[in-house]
Amino acid sequence: MKISEKQKKIIAVTAYSVFVIFCFAFIAVNIFKFVYDDRSAQVYHNEQYVIGVYQEKIAVFAQGDSVPVEIYDVYVSTLPEKDQKTLRKGIEVQGRVKLRSLIEDYTS
């Protein structure tokens, strides 16, 4: 069975159309992801936390809450005196990135 020139053109146009649609879909998905990630980063950047002490362990509290959102298995008494005092007063932190960084400092 031989393919005619007309059929070859139809196949070529169809393949090209599928490729163009795929490219547009890929670009649209990446634009959506970029916008969504940017909005998520803004939300996380504005969250307020306090790193403090709960039952003698390092804990993270949402700003204004007395119940921690996370408790770490690190006893405050194992830290240097200066860090103990700072944690007992509470360290206000804005954003999850800064929070993670400080928690790493105190728990590693």
Side-chain angles (χ1 to χ4, degrees), residues 43-102:
V43 168
Y44 292 147
H45 178 72
N46 292 329
E47 290 180 336
Q48 299 285 328
Y49 299 97
V50 176
I51 303 173
V53 179
Y54 184 81
Q55 296 178 346
E56 294 304 310
K57 293 181 181 179
I58 296 175
V60 174
F61 301 85
Q63 185 74 39
D65 287 352
S66 58
V67 177
V69 292
E70 191 152 2
I71 302 169
Y72 295 89
D73 199 24
V74 177
Y75 285 92
V76 176
S77 60
T78 63
L79 300 173
E81 188 67 33
K82 181 180 176 185
D83 291 341
Q84 290 182 39
K85 287 180 183 179
T86 303
L87 285 167
R88 291 189 193 286
K89 287 182 185 177
I91 304 166
E92 293 185 11
V93 182
Q94 182 173 353
R96 287 187 184 184
V97 173
K98 181 69 174 171
L99 175 65
R100 272 191 234 121
S101 174
L102 285 172

Side-chain angles (χ1 to χ4, degrees), residues 9-44:
K9 287 181 182 178
I10 290 172
I11 292 170
V13 168
T14 303
Y16 180 75
S17 298
V18 168
F19 176 74
V20 169
I21 290 169
F22 175 78
C23 289
F24 278 120
F26 180 78
I27 290 168
V29 166
N30 282 303
I31 288 172
F32 175 77
K33 184 179 180 316
F34 176 77
V35 169
Y36 178 78
D37 286 349
D38 186 49
R39 287 183 181 162
S40 295
Q42 289 174 359
V43 168
Y44 292 147

